[in-house]
Amino acid sequence: MAMVETGSTLRWKLLAAHAVLIVAALVVAFPFLMIVSISLRPGNFTTGQLIPEHLTLEHWKLALGISYVDADGQVTVPPFPVLTWIGNSLKVATISATVCLALSVTAAYAFARMKFRGRGPLLSALLLFQMFPSVLALVAIYALFDRIGDLVPWLGLNSHSSLALSYTGGVALWIWLIKGYFDSVPIELEEAAAVDGATRLQAMVHILLPMAVPILVVVFALAFLSAMIEYPIASVLMHDQDRLTLAVGSQHFLFPQHYLWGDFAAAAILAGLPLTLLFLLTQKWLVSGLTSGGVKD
Amino acid sequence: MKRSLLHVAMAALGALALAAGLAVVILLYAARQHALAAAVLALVAGTVVVYTSSRTYVWRYLVPGIVAVLFFILVPMLYTGLIGFTNYSSRNLLTFERATAVLLARTRGTGDGMDFALYRAGAGHRFEFTDDDDRRFVSGPVALGGELRVPLRAAPAASAGASEEAKQEEPISLRDVIALQPALRLVVATLPDGTELRLSSITRFIAARPAYTRNPDGTLTDRADGAILRADHATGFWRRPDGAAVAPGFRTYVAGQNYRRIFTERRFFEPFARVFTWSVAFATFNTIFTFGIGIVFAALLSWEALRFRNAYRMMLFLPYAVPAFLSIPIFRGLFNENLGEINLILEGLFGIRPSWFSEPMLARSMVLLVNTWLGYPYMMILCMGLIRAIPGELYEASAVEGAGPLDNFFRITLPLVLRPIMPLLIASFATNFNNLTLIELLTGGLPDFLDTEVPAGSTDLLASYTYRIAFRDSGQNYALACAISSIIFVIVAALAVINLRLFKVDREKP
């Protein structure tokens, strides 16, 4: 907002604004600084200063799957297979994001480039469906995959493919995001290609898609992220400890009787940092897609 | 060249999909899921028509996305509604056929048993049974492993004279018998009179008979007392003549019983009403708090005279970028009543140690606090976009009038942001109304109400309440959970329709 002001009142106001923002930034940073500090403190119960007196890498070693030997020669083995969990999450998220992207691209193309009966209602329906959280259908998803597992074991409960498939419900949102981007790409090049005898499919694959690579990358990243951080469905479908995803497995650190605060902190930073960076890179697309989705048509 | 390659690839993909679809049909047919097989076959046929007829050209593009939405959003939703009308729970888990099969496979011991000893016989083994009256039965050599019926014949009693031959060979040691237990469990020994014996303990077999037999009219007879069991499809149990239910129950449709329970039975309605009230309050407060904080930060960060705006924005956005499955447990640790850093600081400063997880009101405040922390950056980013669209002349005009920053905020910024952001506020309300992850990872719904029969917690949202009913508390009442989910579906649908209206109004205005 443009302030038309000069003089000392402005300086005071600026100072006040800085004060508010700095306090807010400190409040925001507090949990993160705390968790870094906790991951470097020895032991799982110790409390202490923000900057630990004794630095130790025991929690980091355990998070990376390396046994830790303390000064008395006592060996601590990693409590949980954190790297396996990260691997599982990566696998499920990659499959799910690939499937999501493949399924939503052509529909987005049709909505952006073709006129047909029922286009408006279909688009509204997609927007509507996108609002229903999948957690409400949790029992149904569980029961469905339980049944499917009787027929096809590798697609039943406790299988990564069932989890990846259940995340495909996100396509409604992805179709909207991709369609929004297609709308902003000029149609002239495709029309010129059509004049040269290209079919619709060719125009889409050879002309539109190369120009839309950014949104395809972003949707892939968002679908990937949303699968990486999903908890409820994964907690219901997966049982075996070494098949869990990171989102479910990382909760095992903090049972009241088995409170591995330091080990959790190290694992959280290890897994959380790349995901946070990826989200920071893609977030502006998600936000602009959400805000423009309803306004534009 | 390029052109044909693309089309060949698409055709190959289509053929592959067709083959996969037909394989699914065959698989379903083989599993005797005939209705499902027919449905999938119809779907495959429909798809073939779409991809060959030129009149349905547009649908060639739409089918993958639309079918995915149908399969992964609509089907689970409809199935949820369907389960809501059944009695599906851990007590009524099996289908009627499976529950009946379980009863028919059930055996009842007759009380008679025999100890046995195993002898080596060539590559296999030989049984020698001794019953409680010292009668002996022996088998021929058998190869253990896999399902096995072993006929026994009577042998002379183990008197002093007969034991001569037995002394020549020793039975195999107990350790070996224990090693053979898995194989022994699959052995059915049959006496000359037809009685069947099965392993009951390490060195003992007991006689057992099927407990139930099926009658031609579909009823079952209890062989112990001749009672006739009838299937009660209204409640999903086999019942004895006196009305007693025989476990396991089976799945069946119970019409609106779950809904009747929720709304008319006190023990279900009371926790439901409380959880519902808190869900509404939580979602409302949370929307107000996140929006309030978000728009204030957005207004500050949109002030062009302010330096380091990008650094602040980055920092203030961080809570939204960190995955919630990590930041929520971080808060659970920080709020820990005894070891948590927050209580250490509070004790140092004010000498208090609030019990965040056991006091209902404190627990609710903590949940709100944490979720506000998690959610305001999203509102902040949205508001920044909308503030950017407000024409600068408005602020210039207000400056000429001598208005202060508060006037600007309440008279210009807030009203102009509020209208376009309304649909997103409603969406945020709906999302937080169902914020299962937050509750599950932060409090698990605790502390529980002490005065409700059906367990429910003071921080439980409807979504986490159904999660508890279905997966956590004993009883695992899937049907009740689905009935409550269906009610939430209706609420969310109402919100979604309002939202769509607001979107449409927005769309027509410019």
Side-chain angles (χ1 to χ4, degrees), chain B residues 114-452:
Chain B
M114 294 198 224
D115 295 326
F116 72 92
L118 272 179
Y119 295 87
R120 284 192 206 290
H125 294 84
R126 184 169 70 74
F127 283 94
E128 186 177 306
F129 284 88
T130 315
D131 76 0
D132 299 340
D133 302 326
D134 265 351
R135 278 178 305 194
R136 290 198 316 143
F137 297 91
V138 294
S139 77
V142 292
L144 289 172
E147 304 255 350
L148 195 63
R149 291 184 78 83
V150 179
L152 302 178
R153 60 190 156 75
S159 60
S163 63
E164 287 293 314
E165 64 166 307
K167 268 181 190 154
Q168 287 168 7
E169 47 174 335
E170 283 290 309
I172 67 172
S173 68
L174 189 62
R175 174 197 295 253
D176 292 339
V177 173
I178 290 172
L180 283 170
Q181 292 288 307
L184 288 172
R185 226 167 275 137
L186 300 173
V187 170
V188 178
T190 50
L191 291 181
D193 68 352
T195 309
E196 295 180 347
L197 299 135
R198 288 182 176 81
L199 189 72
S200 76
S201 65
I202 292 171
T203 58
R204 195 171 166 84
F205 271 52
I206 54 165
R209 279 201 308 247
Y212 302 96
T213 48
R214 199 202 293 265
N215 301 322
D217 62 347
T219 57
L220 301 181
T221 303
D222 186 337
R223 300 225 349 214
D225 53 8
I228 302 287
L229 272 67
R230 288 175 197 287
D232 176 3
H233 285 279
T235 58
F237 279 103
W238 282 96
R239 285 190 189 282
R240 305 177 61 83
D242 61 0
V246 180
F250 50 87
R251 294 198 295 260
T252 183
Y253 288 97
V254 294
Q257 191 196 308
N258 291 311
Y259 294 94
R260 253 200 316 281
R261 273 180 153 179
I262 295 169
F263 289 112
T264 60
E265 278 183 42
R266 228 182 98 85
R267 67 194 188 105
F268 288 106
F269 181 70
E270 212 176 279
F272 175 81
R274 288 192 202 177
V275 170
F276 177 78
T277 315
W278 162 241
S279 305
V280 173
F282 167 77
T284 312
F285 282 130
N286 192 67
T287 308
I288 293 173
F289 291 165
T290 51
F291 174 67
I293 295 178
I295 193 173
V296 168
F297 284 150
L300 279 176
L301 293 176
S302 305
W303 189 9
E304 274 149 22
L306 198 72
R307 291 177 65 194
F308 313 121
R309 284 190 303 160
N310 269 336
Y312 286 132
R313 196 185 57 105
M314 193 71 172
M315 199 62 222
L316 291 177
F317 185 74
L318 214 52
Y320 193 63
V322 175
F325 76 86
L326 294 173
S327 47
I328 296 171
I330 289 176
F331 273 105
R332 197 168 59 158
L334 293 178
F335 272 105
N336 188 300
E337 288 162 20
N338 301 315
L339 302 163
E341 274 70 10
I342 290 179
N343 269 10
L344 289 182
I345 293 173
L346 286 179
E347 193 170 34
L349 291 180
F350 310 107
I352 50 169
R353 259 179 185 279
S355 26
W356 297 106
F357 291 90
S358 35
E359 283 278 327
M361 284 326 284
L362 279 175
R364 287 177 168 178
S365 326
M366 173 186 68
V367 166
L368 267 173
L369 214 67
V370 171
N371 208 38
T372 305
W373 188 91
L374 289 171
Y376 81 84
Y378 173 65
M379 290 293 176
M380 179 182 86
I381 291 290
L382 293 180
C383 290
M384 282 178 75
L386 293 167
I387 289 175
R388 211 171 296 139
I390 299 175
E393 300 92 68
L394 286 177
Y395 294 107
E396 283 161 26
S398 86
V400 171
E401 300 280 315
L406 283 181
D407 283 319
N408 278 342
F409 181 77
F410 284 108
R411 297 259 177 92
I412 303 174
T413 314
L414 189 61
L416 284 177
V417 167
L418 206 50
R419 252 197 52 73
I421 212 174
M422 211 56 205
L424 293 155
L425 289 186
I426 294 175
S428 151
F429 179 93
T431 310
N432 282 306
F433 191 84
N434 297 305
N435 201 337
L436 168 66
T437 308
L438 173 77
I439 300 301
E440 206 35 49
L441 299 190
L442 190 58
T443 64
L446 301 176
D448 273 353
F449 294 121
L450 298 175
D451 54 346
T452 55

Side-chain angles (χ1 to χ4, degrees), chain A residues 11-190:
Chain A
R11 192 170 309 149
W12 279 113
K13 278 178 191 164
L14 276 175
L15 217 61
H18 278 297
V20 168
L21 288 171
I22 285 170
V23 169
L26 284 179
V27 170
V28 164
F30 167 71
F32 300 127
L33 295 178
M34 220 55 236
I35 213 73
V36 172
S37 154
I38 288 160
S39 81
L40 295 170
R41 280 179 200 164
N44 271 312
F45 289 97
T46 48
T47 50
Q49 304 297 313
L50 187 57
I51 299 161
E53 288 153 26
H54 308 286
L55 285 178
T56 164
L57 288 178
E58 56 173 283
H59 304 305
W60 283 90
K61 282 188 174 169
L62 295 179
L64 289 167
I66 306 164
S67 292
Y68 167 74
V69 188
D70 67 10
D72 308 333
Q74 198 164 354
V75 180
T76 316
V77 290
F80 298 111
V82 176
L83 292 181
T84 311
W85 290 341
I86 295 180
N88 290 343
S89 282
L90 286 175
K91 176 178 151 199
V92 169
T94 310
I95 298 174
S96 135
T98 312
V99 171
C100 278
L101 195 62
L103 290 178
S104 44
V105 164
T106 60
Y109 175 76
F111 281 120
R113 291 289 192 255
M114 297 176 180
K115 298 256 176 292
F116 55 93
R117 273 230 319 253
R119 177 172 173 278
L122 264 178
L123 270 174
S124 297
L126 285 186
L127 202 62
L128 206 89
F129 278 137
Q130 182 258 120
M131 272 191 71
F132 287 97
S134 52
V135 296
L136 292 183
L138 215 49
V139 177
I141 292 173
Y142 173 82
L144 277 174
F145 280 110
D146 188 21
R147 300 285 148 79
I148 293 173
D150 290 342
L151 306 174
V152 195
W154 58 267
L155 204 56
L157 294 180
N158 211 11
S159 74
H160 289 147
S161 34
S162 70
L163 195 58
L165 214 54
S166 67
Y167 291 155
T168 314
V171 284
L173 177 61
W174 311 135
I175 291 176
W176 259 100
L177 282 183
I178 301 175
K179 173 205 166 276
Y181 191 89
F182 283 174
D183 283 338
S184 70
V185 175
I187 196 170
E188 283 74 26
L189 274 174
E190 288 158 69

